[in-house]
Amino acid sequence: MRHVEVAQACPATRISAVVEPSEVRRAALAALGLNAVATLDAVPTETRAAIVATPTQDHHVSALACLDRGWPVIVEKPTAATLDQAREVVLRAAQKGVPLFTGHHRRCHPFSRATRDALTQLGDLVGVQGLWSLRKHDTYYDADWRRQPGAGPLLTNLTHEIDLLCFFLGEIDEVTALSSNSRRGLAIEDTAALAFRFGDGALGSFLISDAGASPWSFEAASAENPAIAASHQDYIRFVGTAGALEFPSLTFWGRSGPGEIEWSKPLIATPGPHFDKVDPVLKQIGHFAAVVAGGDNDLLCSGEDGMKALEITLAAALSAKEHRPVRAGEVPGDYTGV
């Protein structure tokens, strides 16, 4: 429904149909004034593009069906349930010559693009440290599927962070992960600690938990999600040979004087610029509409980039399971993370 909302709000888009197999749900959508249909075959011929916002298991089949109709597609993250499925979707888009994107909408915040530019001030990147910890309410786990393997923060929340890190810093070559379920005692993990090696040799670490209460997360920092309390606290820090950067405030720590930057000389903090708050999902569909109209875009997450984020997310799950580092290219094509 978030995609329906922004498609109605975006002046460059109009909803031709919402495909919904449930008769009861179709009736509810029709009551909202939407053209709710049961299958893709019932979609009006004037349709020019599609957004796949179905359960993950369906991403592969629905994305292929849309691409085969010649429609540019945004498929919600992850691109598919497995790497083999994601590769097939990416290949089909290339064969059809049709744009394909993965719905990693965080890229569409103005501070995300600005961060990628600001990182050039840091000299050679040494490393990055991130902390995402939001305590989900106890009743969140009343639903049985949320207690089943695959529903923990590794596969549910980490993929957003992986895509952002790759958007900022380039490809991740290797990941090592530890996981724990000791705080909630469920079959799924509630906390994971990860170490990354990037392609240029920089290193990274990330702690992710849905059991620990903290003000540090993307959602709390950005106030993006009205259901999650805002803190406006930075949750990622980048360190380079010439300074450091906090995200998403873009506070820059740099030299205080001439000569070598070293530990006896204080660093000076420069606050980041002000950014107007935007709806990143609305921005995403606006960029998508521009591409459908024939334009170019280097901000949206391509299908290939979405597949890479899926690969490293699955690599983290595999590393935690097998207690070993996992390199890109080592994840089995049919592995689902559970």
Side-chain angles (χ1 to χ4, degrees), residues 141 146-153 180-181 185-190 210:
Y141 287 103
R146 286 177 169 167
R147 301 191 299 274
Q148 299 304 312
S180 171
N181 65 349
L186 302 175
I188 57 174
E189 80 282 352
D190 53 53
D210 66 9

Side-chain angles (χ1 to χ4, degrees), residues 1-65:
M1 291 307 294
R2 282 285 289 123
H3 290 289
V4 169
E5 175 188 335
V6 298
Q8 290 174 321
C10 178
T13 59
R14 181 173 60 84
I15 298 176
S16 61
V18 178
V19 182
E20 170 55 61
S22 165
E23 184 176 356
V24 173
R25 184 65 178 144
R26 281 200 308 277
L29 292 169
L32 297 174
L34 296 165
N35 178 30
V37 299
T39 69
L40 282 174
D41 291 335
V43 171
T45 56
E46 65 189 9
T47 301
R48 297 180 58 193
I51 295 175
V52 176
T54 58
T56 297
Q57 312 89 276
D58 176 74
H59 286 187
H60 168 246
V61 172
S62 288
L64 290 177

Side-chain angles (χ1 to χ4, degrees), residues 130-136 207-221 228-235:
L131 168 57
W132 186 100
S133 190
L134 288 176
R135 189 180 186 282
K136 294 174 182 174
L207 178 69
I208 186 165
S209 175
D210 66 9
S214 91
W216 300 301
S217 70
F218 182 92
E219 294 86 345
I228 296 174
S231 68
H232 305 291
Q233 296 294 305
D234 291 316
Y235 82 109

